[in-house]
Amino acid sequence: MSDANESLPLPERPSMEVDIACVGFGPAMGGFLTTLARALTNPDGSPALESGVSPGLPLQVVCYERADGLGFGVSGVVTRARGIRASLPDLDPAQIPMATPVKAEKVVYLLDPVGASRRSRTLRAADGSIRLMKFMLPYERHALELPFTPAFLHKKGGLVLSIGQFNQWVGEQLMAGGQVQIWPGTPVAEPLVEDGKVVGVRLADQGVSRDGAPEAGYAAGLDVKARLTVVADGPVGVVGRSLDERFGLPEGHHVREWAVGMKMVVDLPEHCTLEEGTVLHTFGYPEPEIFGFLYVHPGRVASVGLFVPSWFDSPVRSSYLLLQYFLQHPYLWHHLKGGKMRSWGAKSLKESGRRGEPHLVGDGFARIGEGSGSTNVLTGSGVDEAWTTGAQLAYGVLELARAGKPYSRENLEAAYVARRRSSWVEEEGRIAERARDGFGQSLVTGLLGMALTGLTKGRVNLGSEPVAPHERLGTVESYYDGRIPPGEIARIRAECRKSGQSLAAALMRRAGWPEIPYDGMLLVSHQDALLLGGKVQAPAGYADHVRFVQPAVCEKCGTRTCIEICSAQAITPGEEGRGPSFDREKCVHCGACLWNCTQSLEGERTNIAFGAGAGGLHSAEN
Amino acid sequence: METILFVTHTEADGRVPRAALEALAAARELALARKAELVVGVFGAVTANASAQVAGASAARWLAITSPDLSEARYASDAAAVEALARAAAATLVVAPATSRLSRVVPGVAQRLGGRVDTHATSLAEKDGAPVITRWFYRQRIEAQLSREKRPWLILLEGGCHAPFVAEGAAPVFAEVPLPLGPSDRRTRVLGLRAPRSDAQTIRPDARLLFVAGAGWTKKQADGKTHADRAGELILAFLQASKASLGSSKSLVDQSGEGQAVLPFLSHLNQVGQTGATPRHPKGLATCCHGEEPHVVGWRFILERRAVNLDPGCGWARGKADVLYVADAFEVMEKVNALLAAK
Amino acid sequence: MSGYQIVVCGSVVPDPLQTLEPVEGATGPSLKNELMLPAVLDPWAAQALYEAAHLATRSPGSKVWLVALGPKAKLQQVMMAIGQKVAFELVALDGPAGGFVDAHETAAALSDAIKGLPGLDRSRLLVFGGWESGSRGAGATLQMVGEHLGIRDQFQGVDQIAPQADGSLEILERVEGGQHQLSRVEGPPALLGWATGNLPEPRNSPQVGMANMKTIMPALQRARPTKVGTADLKYLAVALPRVQRETRVVKDKSSDDIAREIVEWISKD
């Protein structure tokens, strides 16, 4: 990120001062602002804390969210909601659209009815045995229901939520109270740092061309100065990553494990017998490494989706295609056939968990939520953890504000980090830290590893230190070695380039995956999903937020995984001799491109720069 | 007993517009069905020539307001005229064509009469002893049939929804109704009409064909480049040769605000669907357009539909068009233009 | 005092790209999941608001109000987006804003609220709004508001307003055939129902947002519950029209053949 803000500010750039500037509105910020707001007003209605920047006024707390609405959020979520319920003891799921208590949970191993997935010998042997013994096992429709749900996965007593509706509901309560302000549609470009202290944030410039050059109607992004900057911008948030680059990660910490979570919200067909509150976790199909889920909301609505992890080593991995095959697995299709897609979306998940934890605090800033490594990668839960870290920071901030102490690193460590370290979030996060390391080797090692971690509470783990995603990926030719000859791959590539069709789809079909029978309801083309699944839009006047840093490097890249993994097909092969093309009107801001670039520039930095843009897929049902 | 007033303005030549004859036919049918009295009312600077057009409508009364104050479309004077006619007729139902002139004033007149108004009606009929209209909601996405009990009920009927009235017999004699206008009704002066910005006359409401250009025309083509100039040439040449009316999707007209490659002859007035128009043409050809629902609702009144798009899975393919040609629109339109030129 | 008093009427509509489905309720038809659908300020009403703000900045001493009748929670959501665009004072009425609500009732409620604005000066009053909404789409509410307020100079389908040196206003309205009618009114009071206009959407400005929020939040908290409904309207049938054609997908023809087929189709009557 630029050092420009460490020199004198440009004359045209306006600035303003607040007490607390917040970046990103998700569960973590929900927890922070909810906890903070309720302590800002005395019982007699007077402000409990006076603003340090506008004396006489109450504490000025402003939150900037880049998405157009607070309902932007992409995970059908099942959560134990411990932290959430601690903050909101009277929470009644009936108040929140699409929320419902968990009623039944199942873990299901999906076998491959198509025969095209890549299974190790071990796995194929296991499949064979299962099929042989299917009459003695809880086997139906090419799937094996596990007779129990491992304790560490259990969400008993929890809630199935639409994260979009939850966030929107939390936001509404906050806005109605009036103590804090939340501004959607306002992307933050970078943190403001002076002498190693974070002094606020700079909002994105408006009225610029796609490459950032000022045009007619140029409005320089406002500099928002703040005593404290709360960074809750998620796994791919630009402020969090900028701080990581500037201050580095703590010793031994790295962020090398990721996944794309892609899901649809669907209207279940009339004949569907799944009950509200049903939670299904799956693995094994369309590829063994793909974990999937189906959660049933009230009103015969379900969230169904999957996770495409960075240890699924196909250089042409395409989440949307995989999702389409996932839906059609007989076990799921039994429930879904005849259903209709209501909305769709995707996001990146920081699967590094505790091991990817950045510096949680510094002079003038604190980090909460998924971007701060709060996700538990054993239980696969993040929402409640994020919320809780937000609440913990709020308590810390209140403590400091009441004592009139500055938001220095030491003070924030004592008031916030100490709270976090002594909580269940830390305890469980530590247990989970190496839970996924086994997946780096294989599905079986990974599953065994998770089981061992869970059973021994983190004392015994399998697998070794993960490597950066780009180091895992080979060439397309090597991936399909033995299945598709290189000459044919070259021919398919050329054809796809000419016709603009997806390379991943062509290769999957050639590798034995069947044609997808589009029905315009649930099985729709990728582009249709962008239109059916909500509104993908990008307001004019902002620069492209995905950039290929050195196009020459792209030219040499044989894999261009970024194109295939792009959740919205916003990245396409560009003109010959130039890097790929980016269409910001299609981007859903999932951030997958960021960690799927196979070309590293230096260290673990890749050739794709991912900033904060306005707009993106927007459907409050997600 | 119900008294139905059919009311319309006349044009500069003293005749009533086609949409008015359609509304008259509908009003007459309703009067017959309800055994109601029909009153015909016209207003304008010149009204004499309207008489021959409405001959044979079997109205109980024929009223006119003729005044130079009514030569132009102006709210205050037009509203006063419609109000005067409604009161003179003691109307319980008022049926008017939804021309821009009448759409401007009829709702206000409803308020003055203490009545109710419904606009954009696409049908008017008698059902179970009550007058029932059909109209669209949510930008042509939901259709409803409704009726009202309160009177007077004023209804604006859309053009193109009914066969026009055919005159027969002797032209009636109109009785003049006075038009009370004060200085407060004359604060607005109409200065004239302004033609669309560009020289290209692209909107032709009476064209037999609607040609829709979608955002694909200005996107990067297979060679990785945009060809907006060529797109513009092909589209204008086609419009010239076919005399089609030009429509567009919202995404394409929005681009002109973003500094992207644009088609300079397009404006928001060309937009079909969403916040745009719902034009009526017997045929429609969509090119480089994805065919998503909010746009296609604007095609509600296009009878035969075809599309040209490289994507065989686009919206047109799934029930929105009669024929989808999976092909490159640049190539196809070039050849179409050549064939049309050769004719 | 100089400058205009511009009162903009507008409310929320569902985001145009959402899927809509009618449902029958106790009080008449409404949309399925109406309160869950993301809402925007009606596009033409929003345009009217931006035009009002633009006019206000060019005429010192002007003030802009937005009078909005809609469900409070939805108004609040929409204010988070609109509040950053232009400066205005919000007058919020808490009530339904669906397309099936009778325009007469809405107009009466809006007019009462406008009449109640302190310091209202007819000689400076301009009432703006969207020509038609994306919900009811009637193009009738504003005229009725105008009548309630005794405003006889009304314009619909407006794309442009140009104040003249002598205080008169030149206004362009859309008429048939893609043309505009140019009129001149001596001055306020006047009422304008806006179409698209020519102004681009204003940029998000956090400073404008923070200034607006000081009045918007209290206005929402004070929002008067307002009863409007379907009144004497009887909805006999409300449906999504099902128009499914049997599409013939032509894939393997050459562009020459396709062109020939198209020309033949166009030419026959």
Side-chain angles (χ1 to χ4, degrees):
Chain A
M1 300 291 147
S2 78
D3 289 323
N5 56 42
E6 294 217 81
S7 54
L8 286 171
L10 298 169
E12 321 93 328
R13 195 173 287 281
S15 77
M16 114 184 152
E17 273 198 278
V18 301
D19 292 286
I20 302 179
C22 305
V23 186
F25 189 85
M29 188 56 69
F32 175 71
L33 292 176
T34 300
T35 310
L36 186 72
R38 51 170 69 132
L40 290 184
T41 310
N42 291 324
D44 65 3
S46 60
L49 287 168
E50 197 186 358
S51 166
V53 302
S54 307
L57 289 181
L59 206 66
Q60 301 290 295
V61 182
V62 188
C63 176
Y64 297 107
E65 162 58 45
R66 58 140 225 98
D68 288 344
L70 300 186
F72 180 101
V74 188
S75 30
V77 160
V78 61
T79 175
R80 288 177 59 193
R82 289 172 282 170
I84 292 173
R85 279 203 249 251
S87 298
L88 304 166
D90 300 323
L91 181 67
D92 173 12
Q95 289 175 320
I96 307 173
M98 292 176 72
T100 187
V102 174
K103 283 229 196 61
E105 244 181 304
K106 255 190 271 216
V107 178
V108 185
Y109 170 57
L110 301 176
L111 287 84
D112 180 358
V114 160
S117 68
R118 297 167 162 251
R119 288 166 128 73
S120 63
R121 262 208 296 266
T122 325
L123 207 53
R124 273 184 277 136
D127 287 356
S129 319
I130 293 171
R131 287 209 166 91
L132 268 178
M133 301 190 294
K134 65 184 182 195
F135 297 110
M136 302 191 299
L137 293 170
Y139 175 97
E140 55 182 83
R141 295 186 285 273
H142 298 271
L144 180 69
E145 293 180 352
L146 265 52
F148 62 91
T149 305
F152 55 81
L153 271 189
H154 238 301
K155 301 292 193 289
K156 191 148 145 208
L159 294 172
V160 169
L161 291 176
S162 147
I163 201 67
Q165 288 299 308
F166 176 70
N167 285 347
Q168 194 166 90
W169 178 82
V170 171
E172 267 167 42
Q173 314 306 307
L174 285 166
M175 289 294 283
Q179 288 107 343
V180 301
Q181 290 185 21
I182 306 171
W183 292 109
T186 311
V188 173
E190 55 191 310
L192 292 173
V193 184
E194 279 168 28
D195 296 326
K197 283 176 59 146
V198 172
V199 300
V201 296
R202 171 167 294 171
L203 304 183
D205 289 345
Q206 297 179 67
V208 297
S209 65
R210 291 182 53 178
D211 56 18
E215 292 188 318
Y218 174 65
L222 184 72
D223 275 355
V224 181
K225 301 279 176 72
R227 303 283 177 90
L228 174 66
T229 300
V230 178
V231 181
D233 56 359
V236 293
V238 72
V239 175
R241 285 182 300 109
S242 172
L243 293 176
D244 286 347
E245 250 175 75
R246 184 182 287 276
F247 298 123
L249 290 174
E251 181 85 27
H253 284 202
H254 47 72
V255 178
R256 295 185 185 149
E257 292 143 300
W258 294 89
V260 177
M262 182 177 283
K263 83 143 202 289
M264 295 180 184
V265 174
V266 305
D267 272 327
L268 292 169
E270 299 256 322
H271 62 75
C272 184
T273 52
L274 290 176
E275 272 197 336
E276 182 180 315
T278 301
V279 171
L280 297 179
H281 306 281
T282 75
F283 62 100
Y285 187 81
E287 295 285 354
E289 301 88 335
I290 309 292
F291 283 55
F293 61 90
L294 191 154
Y295 311 138
V296 185
H297 301 273
R300 208 187 272 125
V301 173
S303 289
V304 53
L306 44 62
F307 302 99
V308 179
S310 52
W311 56 85
F312 168 55
D313 294 328
S314 162
V316 287
R317 47 197 179 208
S318 158
S319 312
Y320 187 75
L321 275 175
L322 291 165
L323 179 57
Q324 299 254 280
Y325 288 114
F326 176 67
L327 295 174
Q328 293 177 77
H329 187 284
Y331 182 82
L332 295 166
W333 195 243
H334 173 74
H335 299 295
L336 296 173
K337 179 175 178 179
K340 195 161 161 22
M341 186 196 319
R342 269 163 66 142
S343 68
W344 163 90
K347 82 183 275 287
S348 284
L349 289 97
K350 215 171 183 180
E351 296 282 330
S352 47
R354 178 81 183 52
R355 193 159 50 199
E357 189 188 278
H359 293 290
L360 290 177
V361 297
D363 287 331
F365 77 90
R367 298 182 62 167
I368 53 178
E370 191 176 351
S372 76
S374 56
T375 300
N376 183 310
V377 297
L378 171 61
T379 60
S381 55
V383 173
D384 202 30
E385 285 77 0
W387 177 281
T388 307
T389 60
Q392 289 162 349
L393 176 63
Y395 289 124
V397 166
L398 287 166
E399 199 186 284
L400 294 175
R402 285 171 185 145
K405 287 185 178 169
Y407 301 112
S408 65
R409 187 173 53 79
E410 295 80 16
N411 291 343
L412 287 165
E413 270 179 9
Y416 158 52
V417 182
R419 277 195 159 83
R420 180 163 163 167
R421 294 286 178 238
S422 61
S423 74
W424 60 267
V425 174
E426 172 78 10
E427 189 191 322
E428 295 178 16
R430 277 204 179 277
I431 292 172
E433 204 162 328
R434 299 189 49 210
R436 304 261 173 142
D437 285 0
F439 287 105
Q441 276 167 245
S442 75
L443 172 72
V444 176
T445 320
L447 289 174
L448 283 175
M450 271 182 81
L452 274 175
T453 304
L455 288 170
T456 66
K457 297 229 182 300
R459 280 188 287 274
V460 181
N461 307 285
L462 289 185
S464 47
E465 282 279 297
V467 300
H470 62 81
E471 287 178 47
R472 296 188 62 94
L473 293 179
T475 62
V476 178
E477 287 72 16
S478 63
Y479 185 70
Y480 282 107
D481 187 30
R483 285 188 166 215
I484 312 178
E488 216 181 320
I489 293 181
R491 186 183 58 76
I492 294 175
R493 262 192 215 274
E495 252 173 51
C496 287
R497 207 178 216 291
K498 192 160 152 268
S499 63
Q501 304 295 314
S502 152
L503 178 62
L507 288 172
M508 279 183 85
R509 274 197 306 274
R510 174 60 183 78
W513 291 94
E515 291 274 352
I516 296 176
Y518 292 119
D519 61 8
M521 301 238 294
L522 208 53
L523 297 174
V524 299
S525 75
H526 202 159
Q527 289 305 300
D528 278 340
L530 266 75
L531 294 168
L532 276 183
K535 170 177 102 168
V536 188
Q537 53 109 53
Y542 289 94
D544 280 353
H545 55 275
V546 169
R547 280 185 313 111
F548 301 93
V549 182
Q550 293 178 25
V553 169
C554 296
E555 269 317 289
K556 290 185 279 157
C557 173
T559 46
R560 297 208 171 174
T561 307
C562 57
I563 294 174
E564 309 309 326
I565 197 66
C566 178
S567 298
Q569 293 185 320
I571 298 180
T572 47
E575 292 175 30
E576 292 281 355
R578 308 195 43 188
S581 236
F582 171 66
D583 184 351
R584 57 184 282 273
E585 286 183 42
K586 291 189 176 168
C587 177
V588 300
H589 299 257
C590 74
C593 49
L594 179 65
W595 52 271
N596 275 277
C597 174
T598 56
Q599 309 300 308
S600 68
L601 291 182
E602 58 169 271
E604 296 189 28
R605 189 147 37 123
T606 62
N607 199 32
I608 290 184
F610 182 79
L617 188 66
H618 159 41
S619 168
E621 298 187 324
N622 277 319
Chain B
M1 187 181 60
E2 195 100 77
T3 303
I4 302 180
L5 167 69
F6 160 74
V7 64
T8 180
H9 58 93
T10 57
E11 317 246 73
D13 62 0
R15 291 161 58 80
V16 308
R18 183 195 163 92
L21 295 172
E22 294 168 3
L24 172 59
R28 186 161 172 270
E29 267 174 41
L30 186 67
L32 287 170
R34 288 189 71 66
K35 304 202 182 17
E37 187 180 81
L38 177 67
V39 179
V40 170
V42 302
F43 67 92
V46 180
T47 56
N49 301 335
S51 181
Q53 291 175 289
V54 301
S58 331
R61 297 161 66 200
W62 308 87
L63 306 174
I65 303 185
T66 318
S67 160
D69 279 316
L70 298 172
S71 62
E72 299 290 354
R74 170 175 59 183
Y75 182 90
S77 37
D78 286 351
V82 175
E83 182 188 357
L85 287 169
R87 290 195 194 277
T92 58
L93 279 176
V94 177
V95 177
T99 58
S100 66
R101 186 164 180 179
L102 284 161
S103 299
R104 188 184 291 108
V105 299
V106 165
V109 174
Q111 184 64 34
R112 290 185 190 187
L113 298 173
R116 295 289 179 263
V117 66
D118 282 291
T119 61
H120 296 301
T122 52
S123 81
L124 173 62
E126 170 87 354
K127 195 169 163 181
D128 296 329
V132 171
I133 63 159
T134 310
R135 68 167 293 237
W136 294 98
F137 290 81
Y138 292 95
R139 301 244 176 254
Q140 285 85 39
R141 293 160 77 181
I142 295 180
E143 191 177 27
Q145 279 180 32
L146 57 96
S147 183
R148 286 190 189 262
E149 283 176 1
K150 191 126 171 51
R151 296 289 184 270
W153 184 15
L154 290 78
I155 297 168
L156 281 163
L157 194 60
E158 288 283 283
C161 293
H162 202 283
F165 175 76
V166 177
E168 59 179 3
V173 173
F174 281 80
E176 272 296 314
V177 173
L179 178 66
L181 284 185
S184 61
D185 298 311
R186 295 191 176 96
R187 297 179 70 239
T188 296
R189 268 179 49 219
V190 174
L191 301 177
L193 288 177
R194 286 255 188 96
R197 248 188 5 219
S198 73
D199 294 320
Q201 177 64 279
T202 59
I203 299 177
R204 302 184 172 108
D206 296 321
R208 310 279 309 153
L209 175 71
L210 171 72
F211 179 76
V212 164
W217 280 103
T218 53
K219 290 243 143 75
K220 293 207 178 119
Q221 302 302 317
D223 64 359
K225 300 197 185 49
T226 63
H227 295 274
D229 290 339
R230 181 89 187 106
E233 276 167 27
L234 287 169
I235 293 170
L236 285 176
F238 177 73
L239 293 177
Q240 175 80 311
S242 65
K243 299 282 176 273
S245 182
L246 178 64
S248 173
S249 62
K250 182 170 198 292
S251 38
L252 188 55
V253 297
D254 279 350
Q255 274 175 21
S256 47
E258 289 179 36
Q260 294 193 21
V262 290
L263 301 174
F265 47 83
L266 270 183
S267 78
H268 284 283
L269 294 173
N270 293 96
Q271 185 185 320
V272 169
Q274 285 206 55
T275 49
T278 312
R280 283 163 214 285
H281 302 274
K283 298 180 190 165
L285 179 64
T287 52
C288 300
C289 159
H290 202 83
E292 78 247 27
E293 185 63 16
H295 168 69
V296 177
V297 292
W299 284 62
R300 185 66 60 208
F301 305 116
I302 309 295
L303 302 173
E304 291 178 43
R305 306 175 190 178
R306 301 196 180 190
V308 180
N309 192 313
L310 279 167
D311 177 5
C314 68
W316 297 109
R318 287 183 274 103
K320 300 211 172 105
D322 302 308
V323 186
L324 167 67
Y325 300 104
V326 181
D328 182 335
F330 280 82
E331 277 181 35
V332 170
M333 293 318 293
E334 184 171 341
K335 305 204 159 130
V336 165
N337 289 344
L339 288 170
L340 288 175
K343 272 173 158 267
Chain C
M1 272 211 81
S2 63
Y4 301 105
Q5 290 183 340
I6 314 177
V7 178
V8 182
C9 301
S11 188
V12 299
V13 297
D15 186 322
L17 285 166
Q18 298 299 315
T19 307
L20 304 179
E21 215 180 295
V23 288
E24 190 61 42
T27 49
S30 66
L31 289 179
K32 187 168 173 193
N33 297 326
E34 189 151 1
L35 288 178
M36 257 180 67
L37 292 169
V40 297
L41 186 63
D42 177 72
W44 281 346
Q47 215 40 58
L49 179 64
Y50 305 149
E51 294 280 350
H54 185 67
L55 186 59
T57 50
R58 280 148 57 207
S59 315
S62 297
K63 187 175 158 105
V64 177
W65 286 265
L66 173 65
V67 180
L69 166 61
K72 205 158 92 170
K74 287 287 166 205
L75 287 178
Q76 184 182 276
Q77 262 173 36
V78 161
M79 284 304 121
M80 284 194 261
I82 294 293
Q84 292 196 72
K85 301 278 186 191
V86 291
F88 61 91
E89 189 175 312
L90 174 69
V91 177
L93 304 170
D94 184 10
F100 303 107
V101 169
D102 194 336
H104 287 266
E105 307 219 322
T106 303
L110 292 173
S111 308
D112 280 341
I114 297 174
K115 285 180 193 162
L117 291 176
L120 202 63
D121 178 356
R122 276 178 66 83
S123 67
R124 297 162 58 208
L125 177 63
L126 293 174
V127 177
F128 282 15
W131 177 21
E132 296 183 358
S133 73
S135 51
R136 187 186 303 113
T141 313
L142 278 181
Q143 287 91 325
M144 295 189 268
V145 169
E147 288 294 327
H148 274 286
L149 300 173
I151 299 178
R152 295 184 176 212
D153 294 286
Q154 300 195 17
F155 306 87
Q156 297 292 339
V158 177
D159 274 330
Q160 188 176 293
I161 184 173
Q164 304 299 302
D166 62 358
S168 65
L169 302 163
E170 280 193 4
I171 295 168
L172 280 177
E173 295 168 278
R174 292 187 187 185
V175 294
E176 282 80 359
Q179 299 187 86
H180 284 98
Q181 170 171 294
L182 176 64
S183 303
R184 184 188 295 148
V185 60
E186 284 169 14
L191 181 141
L192 280 72
W194 284 86
T196 321
N198 295 317
L199 291 180
E201 192 171 325
R203 305 257 166 250
N204 283 358
S205 163
Q207 285 155 318
V208 167
M210 287 190 73
N212 272 342
M213 268 305 146
K214 295 195 169 69
T215 56
I216 288 180
M217 275 308 130
L220 283 168
Q221 278 157 356
R222 280 196 310 264
R224 234 182 16 235
T226 305
K227 247 180 97 55
V228 293
T230 49
D232 74 312
L233 273 166
K234 252 206 316 265
Y235 286 97
L236 306 170
V238 181
L240 283 176
R242 295 204 181 285
V243 181
Q244 262 315 83
R245 294 163 183 246
E246 288 286 318
T247 311
R248 174 167 65 92
V249 178
V250 173
K251 265 196 231 190
D252 301 313
K253 272 203 172 127
S254 69
S255 1
D256 286 292
D257 287 338
I258 293 175
R260 257 194 292 277
E261 202 175 301
I262 289 179
V263 171
E264 201 190 301
W265 170 64
I266 296 176
S267 309
K268 78 169 192 282
D269 244 342

